[in-house]
Amino acid sequence: MGLSVLKFGGTSVASPDLMLAAARRVADLRRQARGVAVVVSAMGHTTDELLELADAINPHPPRRETDMLLATGEQVSIALLAMALHSLGIPATSMTGPQVAIRTTASHTRARIRSIDTARLLAELNAGRVVVVAGFQGVTDDGQITTLGRGGSDTTAVALAAALAADVCEIFTDVDGVYTADPRLVPDARKLERISYDEMLELAVLGAGVMHSRAVQFGQRYNVPIHVRHSRKNDAGTLITRESPEMENASVVGCALKENLGRVSLRDLPNKPGVDAAIFNALAEADINVDDIIQNEASGGGMNISFTVEHRDLADIKPAMERVLAECGRGEQLIDVGLSRVSVVGLGMRHHTGVAAKMFTALADAGINIFNITTSEIKISCIINRSDGEKALKAVHAAFDLADGQPTTIDTLTPMRSVRV
Ligand code: ASP
Ligand code: MG
């Protein structure tokens, strides 16, 4: 018997009607004699509402208690979805993360899945029942409830598909698939039929909100095809899959915008060994990710360093960096807010030259100033003013001919011959 893992996001189960519609989809698949495991998120805006509730009680709640609270959202959904399935004559059993034994690290509110015990799941599936598993939650070795970070139900679903060796993980959501850019910002964005794990991972990290990046990593590591599609349509969505040679034909497959970034600049630090180590150890201790690191010599013989962070991390960074400056005995900290990052991503970049030039020209023609540039093998990112974000995204989308109706594989950039060996 084939096995599918289906995941329904919060918007796809936001009301009783939607919950029943999701159940009908599960029932149809089950009646085709397939085993079905379903992962579900909290209904609608439940998680946000729970966070607001917590904030009204205590603006700095212990993270363990935040997890205890947030995990309730998914527990409501699994019970209701199981009830909906029973109403359609489909036997189903709901299970929380701890009941399944989805073991995670102990890092509350941002835990990572370490293992999934498949014994109880398989017992239910073998008995012909659909299992309905709470997304986004797990349990530590000593029995603490954890959550996986916002959007973490995707990761539960793909990890479950990997653990159960399912044929596919279908992510049902409120969009038709993965687009060349966020269609709310770029109306002529095109839906992609396929995209590689690497490209999707870059896009997810760079701000395309469709998939949780850890989920894509799991998919890649265990080679689980991930099908992202609309929960109320029958059309195929986007398949996230292993890379194939023709995927390199286009230099860029998509672009993304990440807003609400800030830049921390530390000026006139001592120019000696150990200073960078002190800064980055302090950031690591605070569990903060930084990007776009630039370091250079200051005029008076000291050194300057700057990096980009998410706005919400600034409150933790400021005191941490003040402590580092105090240890150094010199230097000052400056913080800029109101920045965004616009990025282009594509496997084809490995073999095409001129991608950076094309992107920078598009931004220049739109009158947009670039503050900083970072690249990887398959992406180029520019830090810009937040107020330029939407314009920048539209400009690069147009420059790479990503719009609807454009051919997907013809590219006018020069292939880089030296690499094609
Ligand atoms: N309910 C959680 C959230 O809103 C997890 C998820 O939706 O994937 O972040
Ligand atoms: Mg959600």
Side-chain angles (χ1 to χ4, degrees):
M1 182 174 73
L3 178 72
S4 298
V5 172
L6 270 51
K7 182 250 166 179
F8 293 92
T11 49
S12 306
V13 290
S15 66
D17 283 348
L18 290 168
M19 191 70 87
L20 282 160
R24 278 193 291 277
R25 205 180 256 285
V26 175
D28 285 348
L29 203 62
R30 179 71 195 102
R31 290 195 188 101
Q32 293 163 30
R34 284 189 75 79
V36 188
V38 188
V39 172
V40 65
S41 296
M43 293 171 75
H45 298 293
T46 302
T47 308
D48 290 325
E49 286 158 11
L50 290 170
L51 284 170
E52 276 164 29
L53 197 57
D55 190 55
I57 302 274
N58 176 352
H60 302 288
R63 277 161 53 184
R64 177 189 182 278
E65 303 309 327
T66 300
D67 279 350
M68 196 62 104
L69 180 71
L70 294 189
T72 63
E74 272 69 15
Q75 191 168 338
V76 169
S77 295
I78 54 171
L80 293 176
L81 187 59
M83 290 177 193
L85 285 163
H86 280 276
S87 76
L88 300 174
I90 301 287
T93 308
S94 64
M95 292 170 90
T96 63
Q99 281 178 321
V100 173
I102 298 179
R103 299 241 180 251
T104 72
T105 60
S107 157
H108 282 289
T109 72
R110 52 185 89 150
R112 287 165 161 253
I113 296 179
R114 287 177 32 216
S115 68
I116 296 183
D117 190 343
T118 53
R120 274 193 77 179
L121 292 170
L122 288 172
E124 294 292 332
L125 291 166
N126 289 334
R129 285 187 285 270
V130 169
V131 285
V132 184
V133 176
F136 175 59
Q137 55 178 256
V139 65
T140 64
D141 287 340
D142 57 358
Q144 306 293 334
I145 293 175
T146 52
T147 65
L148 308 179
R150 298 304 308 269
S153 297
D154 288 343
T155 301
T156 306
V158 181
L160 208 65
L164 293 169
D167 307 318
V168 64
C169 181
E170 302 217 68
I171 305 279
F172 288 100
T173 177
D174 56 350
V175 294
D176 290 330
V178 180
Y179 278 74
T180 49
D182 184 340
R184 285 167 301 187
L185 302 178
V186 183
D188 61 359
R190 178 169 46 82
K191 190 183 84 184
L192 297 162
E193 262 170 52
R194 294 155 74 83
I195 186 168
S196 69
Y197 294 116
D198 276 328
E199 289 165 326
M200 191 64 232
L201 199 54
E202 288 280 14
L203 285 174
V205 172
L206 294 169
V210 207
M211 282 286 292
H212 199 234
S213 60
R214 289 276 298 151
V216 185
Q217 282 172 346
F218 265 106
Q220 180 160 40
R221 177 151 8 119
Y222 298 101
N223 196 24
V224 179
I226 304 171
H227 185 189
V228 181
R229 54 192 299 202
H230 202 291
S231 59
R232 288 190 302 287
K233 297 183 187 168
N234 279 321
D235 313 349
T238 302
L239 193 66
I240 308 170
T241 176
R242 248 202 293 218
E243 102 178 55
S244 57
E246 79 281 356
M247 284 180 174
E248 291 193 340
N249 290 347
S251 57
V252 168
V253 288
C255 43
L257 180 68
K258 185 141 184 166
E259 298 193 291
N260 295 324
L261 300 176
R263 184 168 44 190
V264 177
S265 305
L266 303 172
R267 298 252 172 99
D268 198 31
L269 295 164
N271 200 353
K272 63 172 196 209
V275 176
D276 285 324
I279 295 169
F280 287 91
N281 280 324
L283 292 169
E285 258 162 47
D287 231 342
I288 292 163
N289 272 324
V290 307
D291 211 335
D292 311 295
I293 303 159
I294 311 180
Q295 178 172 327
N296 48 38
E297 237 165 78
S299 46
M303 71 113 165
N304 301 329
I305 184 164
S306 73
F307 47 82
T308 311
V309 295
E310 307 230 358
H311 265 195
R312 60 159 192 265
D313 288 331
L314 283 172
D316 289 338
I317 290 180
K318 208 164 167 264
M321 291 304 105
E322 268 158 19
R323 282 193 292 275
V324 174
L325 292 179
E327 274 165 35
C328 289
R330 67 185 266 193
E332 57 167 348
Q333 173 171 214
L334 298 172
I335 290 178
D336 296 310
V337 292
L339 300 174
S340 288
R341 178 188 294 120
V342 64
S343 311
V344 298
V345 171
L347 290 179
M349 248 178 246
R350 295 177 188 149
H351 301 308
H352 289 85
T353 56
V355 179
K358 197 168 188 170
M359 177 175 189
F360 304 156
T361 306
L363 293 176
D365 290 348
I368 295 166
N369 196 22
I370 302 170
F371 299 128
N372 188 20
I373 299 162
T374 42
T375 63
S376 81
E377 202 192 15
I378 65 163
K379 73 127 200 239
I380 302 172
S381 296
C382 297
I383 298 291
I384 55 173
N385 261 327
R386 195 188 152 170
S387 53
D388 286 332
E390 218 173 299
K391 192 161 74 165
L393 190 67
K394 285 188 174 125
V396 295
H397 192 265
F400 287 97
D401 294 331
L402 294 172
D404 217 356
Q406 295 286 338
T408 47
T409 51
I410 295 171
D411 211 304
T412 51
L413 295 164
T414 327
M416 204 151 65
R417 251 167 296 129
S418 56
V419 187
R420 286 204 186 276
V421 284

